[in-house]
Amino acid sequence: QQQVKQSPQSLIVQKGGISIINCAYENTAFDYFPWYQQFPGKGPALLIAIRPDVSEKKEGRFTISFNKSAKQFSLHIMDSQPGDSATYFCAAHHPGANNLFFGTGTRLTVIP
Amino acid sequence: GAVVSQHPSWVICKSGTSVKIECRSLDFQATTMFWYRQFPKQSLMLMATSNEGSKATYEQGVEKDKFLINHASLTLSTLTVTSAHPEDSSFYICSAQSGITDTQYFGPGTRLTVL
């Protein structure tokens, strides 16, 4: 059973556009929601993270929107650049298990 | 800060041999380290969690006798793939977590190819 559902599976955006990736979860025990960026052949790199007591967090061109009642969160990449082309994973942390549950990933392609 | 290294970055070995992968936290003490496996174009699959000085906790379906994990210090964890077979070929990634935060920082990964 997939604990964190991520969509879309792939996304193509024009340079300068906004990339939006969505995730949903069911377990209300999750207490921390990071997003990771992964380039081919590399390990995931922490991009931005949010806790459920905050509805939005912005770091540069990256914004997380968090809707606690809907159990959904999303990553917005403003002014998308070709260098943003990568696979993005959302995740949710379970405090009891101290595990991260990952989404299935979104392959983002930003075309010039 | 929060840099995690892995060694080697890639390894090719013959079937039946054992391979050791090292994971180090370079600028912080990692009370907990995690080992993941990733197949092409797929998400990360948690294999095991290790706490310094304790036995690793393996996820369901992961053979603990095949994937030996040692977390001997607060900066080093090792994964040994014993008697490797072609089906063990994969991308292995470790992550490290300090005791202060629940953030996991990932290493660059190790590509294992078993011939």
Side-chain angles (χ1 to χ4, degrees):
Chain A
Q1 182 184 358
Q2 190 71 30
Q3 296 260 8
V4 179
K5 296 181 180 179
Q6 184 172 347
S7 64
Q9 188 174 359
S10 62
L11 181 62
I12 299 174
V13 174
Q14 287 257 313
K15 179 183 175 182
I18 303 173
S19 304
I20 302 174
I21 304 171
N22 301 298
C23 286
Y25 64 97
E26 285 298 324
N27 194 333
T28 56
F30 291 147
D31 66 348
Y32 171 71
F33 301 86
W35 283 89
Y36 287 89
Q37 178 190 56
Q38 186 179 30
F39 292 103
K42 305 294 183 184
L46 180 65
L47 198 60
I48 187 172
I50 199 168
R51 296 196 183 273
D53 55 347
V54 176
S55 61
E56 185 176 282
K57 184 175 182 181
K58 183 176 181 179
E59 290 183 2
R61 296 185 294 111
F62 302 94
T63 300
I64 299 179
S65 296
F66 189 86
N67 186 328
K68 188 173 181 178
S69 60
K71 292 183 281 188
Q72 296 175 347
F73 59 110
S74 59
L75 175 69
H76 295 233
I77 305 175
M78 311 300 286
D79 188 26
S80 299
Q81 299 297 312
D84 297 330
S85 298
T87 299
Y88 293 81
F89 292 97
C90 63
H93 177 262
H94 191 288
N98 191 29
N99 282 352
L100 278 179
F101 292 89
F102 282 88
T104 49
T106 296
R107 177 172 284 194
L108 172 65
T109 303
V110 182
I111 53 177
Chain B
V3 179
V4 177
S5 70
Q6 273 184 249
H7 178 80
S9 56
W10 59 270
V11 57
I12 302 173
C13 69
K14 292 183 179 180
S15 185
T17 61
S18 294
V19 174
K20 180 184 283 189
I21 302 170
E22 291 186 351
C23 176
R24 294 181 184 272
S25 57
L26 299 185
D27 53 1
F28 67 100
Q29 293 187 324
T31 53
T32 306
M33 285 186 167
F34 305 82
W35 287 94
Y36 293 83
R37 187 172 180 177
Q38 187 178 36
F39 292 104
K41 298 183 180 181
Q42 292 191 23
S43 189
L44 290 84
M45 183 187 77
L46 179 65
M47 299 175 66
T49 302
S50 73
N51 292 294
E52 185 263 339
S54 303
K55 287 186 177 180
T57 302
Y58 291 81
E59 294 299 301
Q60 193 172 10
V62 178
E63 299 175 60
K64 62 180 180 180
D65 294 330
K66 181 167 188 60
F67 299 99
L68 301 179
I69 292 171
N70 185 292
H71 191 165
S73 77
L74 285 172
T75 59
L76 173 65
S77 176
T78 60
L79 167 68
T80 301
V81 183
T82 61
S83 186
H85 287 92
E87 58 265 30
D88 299 323
S89 298
S90 190
F91 193 52
Y92 293 88
I93 314 172
C94 72
S95 71
Q97 179 188 63
S98 74
I100 301 173
T101 172
D102 40 26
T103 301
Q104 288 186 30
Y105 296 96
F106 284 82
T110 296
R111 172 76 57 194
L112 170 64
T113 302
V114 185
L115 302 176

